[in-house]
Every structure is written in structure tokens, then in C-alpha cells.
């Protein structure tokens, strides 16, 4: 499914008003029960929720000399506005990126990062107001240890209810205080519309409860929310 630049921007802005929990409920309803990411994925930096289009970067533990990872630079050069850089690989204990690469990503219009590994320079990245969800923080760099070997390809991330979640380029990533979830590109618009309706329903329930309606009455009127 092709989504033009204007649509990408509008969809992202609308998802910023939707909770990941509502998206998870909608995905269950549509038959996609295993799109949630592991509870290890937590907000590392940024005040805004993570919302954007997946641009995938994959790497692995690879011994090499000092001097930088040219493939990582090539991968990041292709980021575009509204993207979330999604970092996958097998690097335990080391960071995949830090402050300086975040500056470069933000200049490209990238709106955040989802990292199946480590992040460092978090206090500096926070000053950039750049949303990063990752599994851990670490001061140990990737240089000499972990190397990018592919980008803009399907990758695996650690799942919540299954061992792995496939993230394909162009899928939508949403993360908030409850965690992060992956929405397949083919159903992004349907999930968004249903999630917005569920959000409206929850808002109505809250208002009714505040007005004195009991929870039993609310469930009878609105159904499960």
C-alpha cells in the first residue's frame, strides 16, 4: 500500500492522539494479537510518544578495528521525514547509537528511534527532545563490536506475547508510557480509524463515570472498553 507524503504526516499526527493500549485492542480484534513489543522496551529519552514510519537498520556483533562504521552512516543517510529508525540485531551490552547520530537523524526529519538493544548519551539526547524507546542504557559504544549489515529490510524485534515481531519498512511504530507496538502498513489506516473510535468511546465513559454513572451501568451502556 503506497502512502504519499501528506498522508504520512496526517496519519502520524492522528496517531499521536491515540494510546498504544487502544491500538493493541484493535489489533486483537483484527486478528493480529502478537504485535506488541517486549516490556523491556521502555522510553529512554523524549517527552512525546514515539510515533512514525519504520525505517529498519540491522546489525550484528562483529569484531573490527577503530575508526567508525561506514555502513551505519550509509543507512542513516536514507532516513526521511516522519521516520522512526528501528534498530535490530544481537548486540547485548552495547549501544547502537548515541547523541551525535541522533542529531544527524533529526536533521533528516526522523522523529524517533526504536532500539532492540542499548542507547547512550541519553541526557544529551533528551535535550534534543528526540523520542527513543530501547531495552537498556549503556556507556559502551558499538565501534569495534557491533556493525550494521543491512537496512530498509524486514527485521525481528523481541515480542511481548511471542518470541519475535516482524517489522517491515513502512510499518507504523507507536510507543507511549505503556510500551511499544508495531502496526503492519497494510492495515495502518483501518487500525487508526478504529482506534480513534475506541478513544472517543473511552472519553464518553470517563465523562459518564465523572457524572455519577456506576461502572456496571457504563459497561452495560458502552460495552467493553
Amino acid at each position: 500500500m503506497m502512502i504519499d507524503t501528506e498522508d504520512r504526516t496526517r496519519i502520524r499526527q492522528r496517531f499521536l492522539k491515540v494510546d498504544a493500549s487502544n491500538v493493541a485492542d484493535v489489533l486483537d480484534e483484527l486478528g493480529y494479537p502478537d504485535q506488541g513489543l517486549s516490556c523491556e522496551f521502555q522510553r529512554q529519552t523524549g517527552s512525546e510518544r514515539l510515533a512514525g514510519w519504520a525505517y529498519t537498520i540491522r546489525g550484528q556483533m562483529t569484531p573490527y578495528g577503530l575508526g567508525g562504521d561506514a555502513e551505519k552512516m550509509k543507512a542513516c543517510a536514507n532516513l526521511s521525514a516522519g521516520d522512526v529508525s528501528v534498530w535490530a540485531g544481537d548486540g547485548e551490552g552495547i549501544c547502537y547509537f548515541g547523541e551525535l547520530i541522533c542529531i544527524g537523524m533529526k536533521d533528516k526529519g526522523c522523529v524517533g528511534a526504536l532500539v532492540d538493544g542499548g542507547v547512550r548519551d541519553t541526557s544529551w539526547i533528551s535535550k534534543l527532545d528526540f523520542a527513543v524507546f530501547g531495552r537498556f542504557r549503556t556507556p559502551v559504544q558499538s565501534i569495534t563490536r557491533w556493525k550494521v549489515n543491512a537496512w530498509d529490510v524486514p527485521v525481528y524485534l523481541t515480542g511481548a506475547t511471542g518470541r519475535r515481531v516482524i517489522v517491515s519498512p513502512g510499518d507504523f511504530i507507536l510507543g507511549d508510557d505503556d510500551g511499544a507496538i508495531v502496526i503492519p502498513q497494510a492495515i495502518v489506516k483501518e487500525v487508526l480509524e478504529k482506534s480513534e473510535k475506541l478513544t472517543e468511546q473511552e472519553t464518553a465513559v470517563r465523562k459518564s463515570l465523572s457524572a455519577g454513572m456506576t461502572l456496571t451501568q457504563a459497561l452495560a451502556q458502552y460495552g467493553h472498553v
Side-chain angles (χ1 to χ4, degrees):
M1 179 183 67
M2 296 299 294
I3 300 176
D4 63 31
T5 301
E6 289 187 3
D7 261 358
R8 278 168 53 99
T9 300
R10 283 194 292 266
I11 289 170
R12 178 177 179 271
Q13 291 301 319
R14 288 165 63 186
F15 264 117
L16 284 169
K17 302 174 184 178
V18 173
D19 292 340
S21 58
N22 284 345
V23 169
D25 290 355
V26 169
L27 286 168
D28 278 349
E29 175 189 329
L30 295 177
Y32 293 80
D34 298 313
Q35 296 302 118
L37 297 178
S38 167
C39 60
E40 292 182 333
F41 285 91
Q42 296 290 325
R43 184 195 308 276
Q44 304 295 333
T45 69
S47 57
E48 188 180 77
R49 65 185 61 196
L50 180 68
W53 304 90
Y55 176 85
T56 59
I57 301 173
R58 189 188 71 202
Q60 69 181 103
M61 295 300 287
T62 305
Y64 63 103
L66 289 169
D69 181 354
E71 296 301 291
K72 182 187 287 188
M73 297 302 102
K74 290 179 184 177
C76 291
N78 294 318
L79 284 160
S80 58
D83 283 346
V84 167
S85 59
V86 177
W87 299 75
D90 62 353
E92 290 299 327
I94 54 95
C95 87
Y96 293 175
F97 71 96
E99 175 207 6
L100 298 182
I101 203 166
C102 276
I103 292 174
M105 289 191 293
K106 189 169 183 179
D107 286 344
K108 290 278 187 180
C110 179
V111 293
L114 178 66
V115 188
D116 198 358
V119 184
R120 74 175 189 174
D121 303 329
T122 52
S123 62
W124 294 106
I125 294 172
S126 292
K127 297 179 189 298
L128 301 173
D129 197 24
F130 189 83
V132 178
F133 276 59
R135 290 200 294 111
F136 55 85
R137 300 180 183 185
T138 175
V140 182
Q141 68 175 342
S142 62
I143 301 300
T144 77
R145 302 177 176 92
W146 184 88
K147 202 171 192 303
V148 168
N149 58 23
W151 54 91
D152 204 25
V153 297
V155 298
Y156 285 123
L157 296 188
T158 309
T161 55
R163 184 178 178 187
R164 297 184 182 96
V165 177
I166 296 175
V167 183
S168 296
D171 288 348
F172 198 88
I173 306 298
L174 184 65
D176 59 22
D177 290 336
D178 288 334
I181 197 160
V182 180
I183 305 157
Q185 183 181 22
I187 58 170
V188 162
K189 290 184 178 180
E190 182 178 10
V191 170
L192 175 58
E193 290 168 1
K194 288 181 178 293
S195 297
E196 287 175 330
K197 289 179 181 178
L198 184 55
T199 299
E200 292 173 2
Q201 186 174 348
E202 286 191 345
T203 299
V205 171
R206 291 189 190 101
K207 289 180 178 178
S208 295
L209 291 174
S210 296
M213 180 181 286
T214 67
L215 181 58
T216 300
Q217 291 170 331
L219 292 176
Q221 178 171 336
Y222 297 102
H224 169 73
V225 291

